[in-house]
Amino acid sequence: MHIEVGIIDPVRIALANAAALSVVASQLPAVVRNPLAVPKTLVSAVVFSALMQAWHLPVGPSELHLIGATTIYMLFGFAPAMLGFALGLVLQAFLFEPGDIPHLGVNALSLMVPMIAVHYSFGRRLFDAKLRDRFNLGKVLRIDAVYYAGVSAMVGFWLMISNDAVAFTDWAAWVAAYFPVFLVEAFITFTAVSVIKGFRANGLVSRMTEVGRLTFA
Protein backbone atom coordinates (compact mmCIF):
# COMPACT_ATOMS: atom_id res chain seq x y z
CA MET A 1 0.00 0.00 0.00
CA HIS A 2 3.04 2.29 0.13
CA ILE A 3 3.46 4.71 -2.76
CA GLU A 4 7.07 5.32 -3.67
CA VAL A 5 8.35 8.86 -3.17
CA GLY A 6 8.75 10.88 -6.35
CA ILE A 7 5.76 9.75 -8.35
CA ILE A 8 3.31 12.26 -6.82
CA ASP A 9 3.98 15.97 -7.21
CA PRO A 10 4.51 18.23 -4.15
CA VAL A 11 1.18 20.04 -4.50
CA ARG A 12 -0.84 16.83 -4.33
CA ILE A 13 1.35 15.60 -1.45
CA ALA A 14 0.60 18.82 0.45
CA LEU A 15 -3.13 18.37 -0.15
CA ALA A 16 -2.90 14.74 1.01
CA ASN A 17 -1.08 15.79 4.17
CA ALA A 18 -3.74 18.40 4.91
CA ALA A 19 -6.52 15.87 4.33
CA ALA A 20 -4.81 13.28 6.56
CA LEU A 21 -4.38 15.83 9.37
CA SER A 22 -8.08 16.72 9.06
CA VAL A 23 -9.08 13.06 9.40
CA VAL A 24 -6.80 12.67 12.45
CA ALA A 25 -8.28 15.84 14.01
CA SER A 26 -11.81 14.47 13.50
CA GLN A 27 -10.97 11.57 15.83
CA LEU A 28 -9.53 13.66 18.67
CA PRO A 29 -12.93 14.37 20.31
CA ALA A 30 -13.28 10.62 20.89
CA VAL A 31 -10.04 10.74 22.87
CA VAL A 32 -11.34 13.63 24.96
CA ARG A 33 -14.56 11.75 25.70
CA ASN A 34 -12.73 8.54 26.61
CA PRO A 35 -9.16 8.92 27.92
CA LEU A 36 -8.66 5.15 27.59
CA ALA A 37 -8.51 5.79 23.86
CA VAL A 38 -4.95 7.06 24.42
CA PRO A 39 -3.42 3.75 25.58
CA LYS A 40 -5.55 1.91 23.01
CA THR A 41 -4.11 4.16 20.30
CA LEU A 42 -0.56 3.53 21.52
CA VAL A 43 -1.09 -0.25 21.51
CA SER A 44 -2.72 -0.03 18.06
CA ALA A 45 0.27 1.92 16.71
CA VAL A 46 2.78 -0.58 18.11
CA VAL A 47 0.87 -3.61 16.80
CA PHE A 48 0.45 -2.00 13.38
CA SER A 49 4.12 -0.99 13.18
CA ALA A 50 5.29 -4.44 14.25
CA LEU A 51 3.15 -6.15 11.60
CA MET A 52 4.29 -3.74 8.91
CA GLN A 53 7.92 -4.41 9.75
CA ALA A 54 7.43 -8.16 10.17
CA TRP A 55 6.62 -8.77 6.50
CA HIS A 56 6.54 -6.65 3.37
CA LEU A 57 6.99 -7.62 -0.24
CA PRO A 58 7.37 -5.28 -3.24
CA VAL A 59 4.86 -6.15 -5.96
CA GLY A 60 4.38 -4.04 -9.06
CA PRO A 61 3.77 -0.37 -8.24
CA SER A 62 3.43 -0.84 -4.47
CA GLU A 63 4.08 -3.35 -1.65
CA LEU A 64 2.23 -6.08 0.20
CA HIS A 65 2.08 -5.68 3.96
CA LEU A 66 0.48 -7.30 6.93
CA ILE A 67 -1.62 -4.42 8.27
CA GLY A 68 -3.74 -5.98 11.01
CA ALA A 69 -6.39 -3.34 10.33
CA THR A 70 -9.52 -5.27 11.23
CA THR A 71 -7.80 -6.96 14.18
CA ILE A 72 -6.90 -3.56 15.60
CA TYR A 73 -10.37 -2.20 14.81
CA MET A 74 -12.21 -5.11 16.43
CA LEU A 75 -10.02 -5.13 19.53
CA PHE A 76 -9.53 -1.42 20.18
CA GLY A 77 -12.28 0.43 18.32
CA PHE A 78 -12.61 2.93 15.50
CA ALA A 79 -10.85 6.06 16.82
CA PRO A 80 -7.84 4.18 18.28
CA ALA A 81 -7.47 2.28 15.00
CA MET A 82 -7.55 5.48 12.95
CA LEU A 83 -5.13 7.32 15.22
CA GLY A 84 -3.01 4.18 15.60
CA PHE A 85 -2.51 4.00 11.83
CA ALA A 86 -1.34 7.61 11.72
CA LEU A 87 0.97 7.26 14.73
CA GLY A 88 2.24 3.87 13.52
CA LEU A 89 3.21 5.32 10.15
CA VAL A 90 5.04 8.15 11.90
CA LEU A 91 6.92 5.67 14.08
CA GLN A 92 7.77 3.49 11.12
CA ALA A 93 8.94 6.42 8.99
CA PHE A 94 11.14 8.05 11.62
CA LEU A 95 12.54 4.85 13.13
CA PHE A 96 12.84 2.50 10.16
CA GLU A 97 11.98 4.10 6.80
CA PRO A 98 12.86 7.82 6.71
CA GLY A 99 12.27 7.76 2.97
CA ASP A 100 8.53 7.41 3.71
CA ILE A 101 8.33 10.73 5.59
CA PRO A 102 7.24 12.82 2.56
CA HIS A 103 4.37 10.43 1.90
CA LEU A 104 3.01 10.14 5.45
CA GLY A 105 -0.26 11.81 4.45
CA VAL A 106 -0.62 9.71 1.31
CA ASN A 107 -0.02 6.44 3.11
CA ALA A 108 -2.17 7.44 6.09
CA LEU A 109 -5.14 8.19 3.84
CA SER A 110 -4.64 4.82 2.11
CA LEU A 111 -5.30 3.18 5.49
CA MET A 112 -7.77 5.55 7.11
CA VAL A 113 -10.24 6.16 4.28
CA PRO A 114 -10.94 2.39 3.86
CA MET A 115 -11.38 2.12 7.65
CA ILE A 116 -14.01 4.87 7.51
CA ALA A 117 -15.79 2.85 4.81
CA VAL A 118 -15.60 -0.29 6.97
CA HIS A 119 -16.92 1.43 10.07
CA TYR A 120 -19.85 3.18 8.45
CA SER A 121 -20.91 0.28 6.24
CA PHE A 122 -20.76 -2.91 8.32
CA GLY A 123 -18.35 -2.48 11.21
CA ARG A 124 -20.29 -0.34 13.64
CA ARG A 125 -23.26 -2.70 13.47
CA LEU A 126 -21.16 -5.19 15.42
CA PHE A 127 -20.66 -2.69 18.25
CA ASP A 128 -24.19 -1.27 18.33
CA ALA A 129 -26.21 -2.92 21.12
CA LYS A 130 -29.48 -2.09 19.35
CA LEU A 131 -28.51 -3.73 16.08
CA ARG A 132 -26.76 -6.72 17.67
CA ASP A 133 -24.98 -8.08 14.61
CA ARG A 134 -23.20 -11.21 15.77
CA PHE A 135 -19.45 -11.52 15.43
CA ASN A 136 -18.54 -14.48 13.22
CA LEU A 137 -16.06 -15.42 10.51
CA GLY A 138 -18.43 -14.42 7.72
CA LYS A 139 -18.77 -10.89 9.12
CA VAL A 140 -14.99 -10.62 9.48
CA LEU A 141 -14.45 -11.74 5.88
CA ARG A 142 -16.98 -9.18 4.67
CA ILE A 143 -15.37 -6.36 6.65
CA ASP A 144 -11.87 -7.36 5.51
CA ALA A 145 -13.10 -7.48 1.91
CA VAL A 146 -14.43 -3.93 2.20
CA TYR A 147 -11.19 -2.77 3.80
CA TYR A 148 -8.82 -4.28 1.26
CA ALA A 149 -11.02 -3.20 -1.64
CA GLY A 150 -10.72 0.29 -0.21
CA VAL A 151 -6.94 0.05 0.13
CA SER A 152 -6.71 -1.21 -3.45
CA ALA A 153 -8.87 1.67 -4.66
CA MET A 154 -6.74 4.20 -2.76
CA VAL A 155 -3.52 2.83 -4.28
CA GLY A 156 -5.16 2.98 -7.70
CA PHE A 157 -6.18 6.58 -7.05
CA TRP A 158 -2.65 7.65 -6.09
CA LEU A 159 -1.22 5.92 -9.13
CA MET A 160 -3.82 7.53 -11.37
CA ILE A 161 -2.81 11.04 -10.28
CA SER A 162 0.92 10.29 -10.19
CA ASN A 163 3.61 11.73 -12.42
CA ASP A 164 4.50 8.30 -13.77
CA ALA A 165 2.25 6.28 -16.03
CA VAL A 166 1.44 2.96 -14.35
CA ALA A 167 -0.10 0.22 -16.41
CA PHE A 168 -3.50 -1.01 -15.24
CA THR A 169 -2.19 -4.57 -15.47
CA ASP A 170 0.57 -3.75 -12.95
CA TRP A 171 -1.99 -2.39 -10.47
CA ALA A 172 -4.28 -5.38 -11.11
CA ALA A 173 -1.37 -7.76 -10.44
CA TRP A 174 -0.77 -6.01 -7.11
CA VAL A 175 -4.47 -6.27 -6.21
CA ALA A 176 -4.51 -9.99 -7.08
CA ALA A 177 -1.38 -10.57 -4.99
CA TYR A 178 -3.13 -8.99 -1.99
CA PHE A 179 -6.02 -11.49 -2.09
CA PRO A 180 -4.29 -14.22 -0.03
CA VAL A 181 -3.08 -11.55 2.42
CA PHE A 182 -6.70 -10.44 2.89
CA LEU A 183 -7.72 -14.02 3.69
CA VAL A 184 -4.85 -14.51 6.13
CA GLU A 185 -5.67 -11.28 7.94
CA ALA A 186 -9.36 -12.18 8.21
CA PHE A 187 -8.48 -15.46 9.91
CA ILE A 188 -5.98 -13.66 12.18
CA THR A 189 -8.72 -11.23 13.22
CA PHE A 190 -11.27 -13.96 13.86
CA THR A 191 -8.78 -16.01 15.88
CA ALA A 192 -7.46 -13.06 17.91
CA VAL A 193 -10.92 -11.80 18.86
CA SER A 194 -12.15 -15.33 19.63
CA VAL A 195 -9.20 -15.89 21.98
CA ILE A 196 -9.49 -12.50 23.68
CA LYS A 197 -13.23 -12.97 24.28
CA GLY A 198 -12.35 -15.80 26.66
CA PHE A 199 -10.67 -13.22 28.91
CA ARG A 200 -13.28 -10.47 28.62
CA ALA A 201 -14.24 -10.84 32.29
CA ASN A 202 -10.72 -9.73 33.20
CA GLY A 203 -10.70 -6.09 34.27
CA LEU A 204 -7.75 -5.06 32.12
CA VAL A 205 -9.14 -6.79 29.02
CA SER A 206 -12.59 -5.27 29.54
CA ARG A 207 -11.13 -1.75 29.84
CA MET A 208 -8.49 -2.00 27.15
CA THR A 209 -10.44 -3.81 24.43
CA GLU A 210 -13.86 -3.58 22.78
CA VAL A 211 -14.69 -7.30 22.91
CA GLY A 212 -17.24 -6.65 25.67
CA ARG A 213 -19.34 -4.73 23.13
CA LEU A 214 -19.39 -7.59 20.62
CA THR A 215 -22.15 -10.20 20.49
CA PHE A 216 -20.90 -13.74 19.97
CA ALA A 217 -22.86 -16.70 18.67
Side-chain angles (χ1 to χ4, degrees):
M1 36 115 334
H2 276 71
I3 301 298
E4 295 301 322
V5 174
I7 70 170
I8 300 178
D9 66 77
V11 173
R12 289 187 175 95
I13 288 176
L15 291 173
N17 288 336
L21 286 173
S22 297
V23 174
V24 168
S26 73
Q27 301 307 309
L28 295 180
V31 177
V32 175
R33 292 193 299 270
N34 180 14
L36 280 176
V38 174
K40 289 178 182 179
T41 294
L42 294 176
V43 174
S44 297
V46 170
V47 171
F48 166 66
S49 297
L51 287 172
M52 291 281 281
Q53 287 299 313
W55 181 77
H56 49 91
L57 178 68
V59 174
S62 187
E63 293 181 336
L64 304 181
H65 286 276
L66 283 175
I67 299 174
T70 54
T71 304
I72 292 169
Y73 171 64
M74 292 290 182
L75 290 180
F76 304 113
F78 179 57
M82 296 280 282
L83 296 173
F85 291 152
L87 179 58
L89 285 172
V90 170
L91 289 174
Q92 178 180 298
F94 280 91
L95 295 178
F96 305 108
E97 300 288 344
D100 287 341
I101 293 173
H103 274 189
L104 280 173
V106 170
N107 292 327
L109 288 174
S110 294
L111 295 173
M112 293 190 296
V113 171
M115 183 54 67
I116 293 172
V118 161
H119 182 66
Y120 288 102
S121 57
F122 303 116
R124 65 178 176 174
R125 295 179 61 87
L126 291 171
F127 297 102
D128 191 324
K130 296 178 181 178
L131 298 175
R132 300 185 69 82
D133 258 8
R134 293 183 180 275
F135 176 87
N136 56 43
L137 181 57
K139 300 286 173 52
V140 173
L141 285 167
R142 181 173 65 179
I143 287 173
D144 257 298
V146 171
Y147 185 77
Y148 279 100
V151 171
S152 299
M154 288 300 297
V155 170
F157 170 74
W158 298 125
L159 295 176
M160 182 178 66
I161 66 171
S162 70
N163 298 323
D164 296 343
V166 177
F168 173 79
T169 52
D170 291 340
W171 173 80
W174 176 83
V175 172
Y178 234 131
F179 184 75
V181 180
F182 139 68
L183 292 176
V184 168
E185 291 222 6
F187 280 96
I188 290 174
T189 298
F190 179 75
T191 301
V193 175
S194 298
V195 169
I196 294 296
K197 80 171 183 179
F199 300 93
R200 63 184 182 271
N202 178 278
L204 181 62
V205 172
S206 66
R207 290 192 300 272
M208 286 297 297
T209 74
E210 298 294 311
V211 292
R213 296 174 59 196
L214 296 172
T215 300
F216 296 93

